[in-house]
Amino acid sequence: MKIPFNKPHICGGELGNIQKVLEGGHLAGNGPFTKKCHQFFEDKYGFKKVLMTTSCTDALEMCAILVNIEPGDEVIMPSFTFVSTANPFVLRGAKVVFVDSEDSNPNLDVGKIESLISSNTKAIVCVHYAGVACEMDELQSLARKHNLFLIEDAAQGLESFYKGKPLGSFGDLAAFSFHQSKNIIAGEGGLLSINNEKLIPRAEIIWEKGTNRAAFFRGEVSKYNWQDVGSSFLPSELISAFLWTQLENLNIIQKKRINIWELYRNELNELAENHPIELPFIPDYATNNAHMFYLVCESLELRTAMIQHLKSKGISAFFHYLSLHESPFYQDKHDGRELPNTIKYTDQLVRLPFYFDLKKEEVLYVCQAIKDFFKT
Ligand SMILES: *Cc1c(COP(=O)(O)O)cnc(C)c1O
């Protein structure tokens, strides 16, 4: 059997919707499908205002512009994350101050943030790793106490909740991804959620290359003009048309993914009790959106051997992330603090194949291969 790590799921209606765009003649951004997608997110999750973007990375770049990041500003975020969490802020001159992960899961350890706050700190960026919520009550009160912006990198967090409230609705700003590796996909694509109302007017302008074109199209102004900095953050209608089909299938996709996740957990639970591996930990305040399934091995050596063993059985399992504070780009800029839990997840976490079309017998095959690994 050959089991890839990821396979993008096509629901079936995508081409039909793209065809409609071609026939309708509005191919650029902010057309009917973009508006339908916006409406969907605002209605379903109660986000005050959303804007489709070409990627989550772009949505985070909008965040960095919106909170006026300037050279010398400091932004606190986890080191165990994708480069796109950090790059948008570094691009605007910020110094990134990395905080360690929790011991029990890869999310940032909120208890370690306060001692890192200085007079230059402007924002905290939290990442909901594997779609599991960070401790949002504590993050919000910390941000309020120190007058900082709170930004959620919710790239993996769609359809996940903290104490019943959807991820992406806690931060002043939040960013989602529809990259083909996520639950809901558009090839490349993203979404900015703006919960701080004060930031809404400027967000629209930054989104449309620094112009008030969005207001112009609504008939609110008679001409549009250069108002501010900005870029071309809005995606073409083709992207939104594709995404719309995926959104229509959201419940089906989520149900299937959760079944796959639970099958993995049920199959591996007993093994994890007697062997040096841990299964994902989901705190009581968080839900599971089945973005990924991972194991944490006791050591780097064990993980390397396990990945090798799975590979010999035709199974692609991968590790990530390589911690950002030790990256070639940032190691000289990091302040030298040790981040032991970040290193633990960098060295010991392994992700198992996970995608909508993964069959039950394939999950069982992967789990059997892991059980066999510990027998040998
Ligand atoms: C996928 C991902 C991103 C980047 O998303 P893109 O849409 O590819 O730009 C950023 N942060 C995290 C945590 C991610 O998982």
Side-chain angles (χ1 to χ4, degrees), residues 158-327:
L158 190 69
E159 263 303 284
S160 209
F161 299 81
Y162 170 85
K163 298 186 179 170
K165 224 183 136 204
L167 301 190
S169 60
F170 294 90
D172 295 280
L173 298 160
F176 291 92
S177 173
F178 310 120
H179 181 265
Q180 76 164 50
S181 58
K182 306 301 199 275
N183 292 29
I184 297 290
I185 63 173
E188 302 272 359
L191 185 84
L192 177 69
S193 158
I194 308 143
N195 299 304
N196 179 338
E197 281 173 36
K198 289 191 211 114
L199 300 177
I200 293 175
R202 200 168 166 239
E204 264 193 350
I205 288 168
I206 291 166
W207 187 59
E208 273 274 27
K209 298 128 186 131
T211 74
N212 52 347
R213 185 152 71 171
F216 171 73
F217 281 136
R218 281 197 302 266
E220 292 167 14
V221 291
S222 60
K223 53 185 185 297
Y224 71 88
N225 209 333
W226 191 9
Q227 304 280 338
D228 201 333
V229 295
S231 191
S232 188
F233 288 117
L234 74 174
S236 111
E237 274 291 281
L238 301 170
I239 299 287
S240 297
F242 189 106
L243 186 73
W244 180 248
T245 303
Q246 297 262 322
L247 293 176
E248 284 185 315
N249 286 276
L250 178 66
N251 291 342
I252 297 167
I253 292 172
Q254 283 307 106
K255 200 164 169 223
K256 178 82 188 292
R257 292 185 75 104
I258 284 167
N259 283 342
I260 295 169
W261 200 97
E262 291 189 336
L263 185 58
Y264 265 128
R265 189 192 48 192
N266 293 340
E267 284 298 312
L268 296 173
N269 221 357
E270 203 181 306
L271 188 79
E273 277 168 22
N274 320 309
H275 294 84
I277 50 167
E278 281 170 35
L279 304 190
F281 170 73
I282 299 178
D284 288 342
Y285 52 71
T287 59
N288 171 30
N289 70 348
H291 174 58
M292 69 167 87
F293 196 91
Y294 65 83
L295 303 174
V296 183
C297 299
E298 190 184 52
S299 66
L300 173 60
E301 294 69 34
L302 185 69
R303 182 182 74 177
T304 306
M306 186 188 292
I307 290 175
Q308 201 51 43
H309 171 80
L310 293 175
K311 199 172 166 199
S312 75
K313 305 275 180 183
I315 300 162
S316 294
F318 283 117
F319 61 83
H320 85 167
Y321 297 109
L322 295 176
S323 54
L324 297 183
H325 74 288
E326 290 198 330
S327 63

Side-chain angles (χ1 to χ4, degrees), residues 54-58 60 81-82 84-85 127-129 153-156 176-179 181-182 188-190 291 320-321:
T54 48
S55 64
C56 178
T57 308
D58 264 2
L60 288 163
T81 184
F82 191 53
S84 291
T85 315
V127 180
H128 306 295
Y129 183 79
D153 179 342
Q156 307 174 5
F176 291 92
S177 173
F178 310 120
H179 181 265
S181 58
K182 306 301 199 275
E188 302 272 359
H291 174 58
H320 85 167
Y321 297 109

